[in-house]
Amino acid sequence: MAPWPAPSPPPPPPPPLAAPPPPGASAKGPPARKLLFMCTLSLSVTYLCYSLLGGSGSLQFPLALQEPPGAAAEPPPNPPPPSLPPPPVRLGAPSQPSAPAPPPPDNASRGEPPEPPEQPAAPGADGWGLASGGGGARDAWLRNPLAPGEMITAQSALLEREAQESSTTDEELAGRRAANGSSERGGAASTPDYGEKKLPQALIIGVKKGGTRALLEAIRVHPDVRAVGVEPHFFDRNYEKGLEWYRNVMPKTLDGQVTMEKTPSYFVTNEAPKRIHAMAKDIKLIVVVRNPVTRAISDYTQTLSKKPEIPTFEVLAFKNRTLGLIDASWSAIRIGIYALHLENWLQYFPLSQILFVSGERLIVDPAGEMAKVQDFLGLKRVVTEKHFYFNKTKGFPCLKKPEDSSAPRCLGKSKGRTHPRIDPDVIHRLQKFYKPFNMMFYQMTGQDFQWEREEGDK
């Protein structure tokens, strides 16, 4: 029998574990261990950087609101967590510096770019509002700061020819918007290049030749109002262009500011109430009304200045003067039938959303009427009697800046034209024509505008 095979020798013992390298020695190990070490180090450095930089919220503020050069820039002792947004910034509230700094410029204190030095007004500037610039065909409105706490906001300046309250063609609108854009790039009286464009929360819807331009320029003095100066004619002519086009026409605003526009033809446009209600059913509407007889003559005077060849007022006002038949189809007459147009608006909006401003009182007591407008818009009464000066030559007020020794400044020469002489018999017949409509309008609005008493005094 063969012998059993000898047993195999036992396996050698495992090698002893290597001792960790002493401090300072190079660590040679598997590649996986190196990779893990590098990843851990990278994550640690990233977390450290995020912890140091994550609490800073200064970059969330508009660039124009940061401290002027040279101001101390120490970080706050307890930065808020990254998830908390910075507090909202409203126009009129000064920016809060993190450390004592030199006092900012006037406009910077309410979050606007500083304005360039004021240019002297051209001699002979006249009309309603702030002064015209270099005269000629276009008037540049200048907005300059007032005393602390009552600063006039720089508004979007419009270098336009006569600010017509009549219809504005697409070509005119495009040209004026281009002029407005060049003005904004100048920066003097421009809308700030921050904020966002919003659909308007208030509209001046009428009436033509009632004083809408005067009202618009007065309310634009308020720091919490942004208004486009041209008439967009969106709800009567450009509706097919859509709300985004309309929004893009508006100036940029900050939270708490009111966006406005004025197009007086809305009041007499049948489709306008329904379209505006579809956009914003809680919008606020302002209507400036005036004695319809005076308004019709003013309307004719404006047309006559452009077309001297048109027939006389007496010819246009009557279908048959012998029978005393008034031609209510003539726009100058039709616009003044306020009750007829208001009935259309009341189908969509309650009276509480419509403010009626007296064009006559806007002349004799502009501060009083502006107080009503500011209350209606939910604004602080910033525009007061110290902003107005009565121009005896023009026959109506001009805007002025408080604490400013310069002469008051007014709108263009197209405002305050001398009316042609109208046959008194024609005026009397028009008064009789409008009287029942005026009475109905008083009842609908709950206001007595006293146009009949005014005519009796004359």
Side-chain angles (χ1 to χ4, degrees):
M1 175 183 284
W4 291 95
S8 59
L17 296 176
S26 61
K28 294 184 179 180
R33 186 176 300 175
K34 277 188 175 182
L35 180 62
L36 178 61
F37 175 76
M38 295 302 296
C39 289
T40 304
L41 179 61
S42 176
L43 288 174
S44 300
V45 173
T46 303
Y47 178 77
L48 177 62
C49 294
Y50 176 80
S51 300
L52 293 176
L53 301 178
S56 173
S58 61
L59 296 180
Q60 301 180 25
F61 286 90
L63 182 60
L65 297 182
Q66 296 180 5
E67 293 296 323
E74 298 179 8
N78 296 315
S83 60
L84 294 178
V89 180
R90 287 192 55 180
L91 194 68
S95 57
Q96 300 296 331
S98 58
D106 288 338
N107 279 357
S109 66
R110 59 177 192 272
E112 296 188 2
E115 298 186 12
E118 176 186 358
Q119 299 296 326
D126 52 6
W128 226 108
L130 293 176
S132 59
R138 294 177 180 256
D139 289 335
W141 291 84
L142 303 178
R143 301 283 194 268
N144 291 296
L146 299 177
E150 294 184 337
M151 300 178 188
I152 295 180
T153 302
Q155 303 291 341
S156 59
L158 297 167
L159 304 179
E160 51 183 297
R161 190 176 292 271
E162 169 186 345
Q164 300 289 350
E165 290 184 347
S166 58
S167 58
T168 305
T169 64
D170 291 340
E171 292 78 6
E172 289 174 333
L173 180 59
R176 292 177 185 179
R177 289 181 64 190
N180 187 37
S182 63
S183 172
E184 288 185 2
R185 287 188 291 272
S190 63
T191 300
D193 195 22
Y194 50 83
E196 60 178 313
K197 295 189 175 185
K198 304 175 184 177
L199 293 172
Q201 297 96 48
L203 297 174
I204 301 175
I205 59 174
V207 296
K208 177 185 176 184
K209 305 310 295 180
T212 56
R213 173 59 56 177
L215 176 63
L216 179 70
E217 294 307 324
I219 196 60
R220 288 172 75 186
V221 172
H222 200 292
D224 286 336
V225 171
R226 295 286 184 193
V228 58
V230 297
E231 298 172 5
H233 284 276
F234 175 67
F235 295 104
D236 60 348
R237 293 185 169 192
N238 297 305
Y239 193 66
E240 72 284 351
K241 296 183 179 179
L243 286 176
E244 283 306 310
W245 177 90
Y246 187 45
R247 188 198 310 271
N248 196 47
V249 172
M250 298 298 124
K252 292 181 179 180
T253 56
L254 300 174
D255 291 339
Q257 289 184 315
V258 177
T259 304
M260 294 183 64
E261 69 111 326
K262 77 107 177 170
T263 303
S265 55
Y266 290 163
F267 188 64
V268 298
T269 301
N270 291 333
E271 300 81 9
K274 181 178 180 180
R275 292 172 174 177
I276 293 174
H277 185 269
M279 179 192 72
K281 58 183 65 177
D282 59 346
I283 197 168
K284 295 184 178 182
L285 308 171
I286 301 176
V287 187
V288 188
V289 291
R290 181 183 183 186
N291 186 321
V293 177
T294 310
R295 196 222 66 81
I297 297 174
S298 180
D299 196 337
Y300 172 78
T301 303
Q302 176 175 287
T303 305
L304 183 65
S305 68
K306 302 175 184 177
K307 301 178 180 180
E309 71 279 2
I310 63 173
T312 64
F313 181 88
E314 291 83 353
V315 170
L316 295 172
F318 289 94
K319 286 185 176 180
N320 187 318
R321 185 172 179 181
T322 303
L323 299 177
L325 296 178
I326 303 295
D327 187 0
S329 65
W330 184 31
S331 63
I333 300 293
R334 188 181 70 254
I335 291 174
I337 310 176
Y338 302 141
L340 177 66
H341 306 301
L342 179 59
E343 187 177 6
N344 189 27
W345 288 88
L346 292 180
Q347 296 180 27
Y348 295 91
F349 298 97
L351 272 176
S352 59
Q353 286 180 229
I354 308 176
L355 176 68
F356 298 93
V357 176
S358 169
E360 288 81 13
R361 288 197 289 270
L362 194 59
I363 293 176
V364 299
D365 182 21
E369 289 301 293
M370 291 309 302
K372 297 176 185 177
V373 173
Q374 291 170 96
D375 292 346
F376 177 69
L377 296 176
L379 301 172
K380 181 181 177 181
R381 291 187 180 183
V382 173
V383 185
T384 61
E385 62 276 356
K386 62 187 176 183
H387 288 86
F388 299 98
Y389 166 81
F390 189 81
N391 187 315
K392 295 181 180 180
T393 302
K394 300 288 288 185
F396 48 76
C398 298
L399 283 170
K400 68 176 182 178
K401 295 173 295 181
E403 303 178 5
D404 189 348
S405 59
S406 62
R409 301 170 178 182
C410 306
L411 276 177
K413 298 178 181 179
S414 64
K415 305 303 177 183
R417 293 188 184 97
T418 301
H419 291 178
R421 185 185 181 280
I422 307 298
D423 187 336
D425 178 66
V426 173
I427 294 178
H428 178 68
R429 289 174 182 263
L430 284 175
Q431 291 170 349
K432 290 180 62 178
F433 169 80
Y434 278 122
K435 185 173 182 178
F437 297 110
N438 291 346
M439 295 297 104
M440 189 183 303
F441 183 64
Y442 298 166
Q443 293 177 357
M444 296 171 73
T445 61
Q447 296 179 239
D448 183 359
F449 292 92
Q450 302 181 353
W451 292 323
E452 288 68 31
R453 186 182 309 174
E454 174 186 305
E455 292 163 355
D457 294 341
K458 292 181 181 179

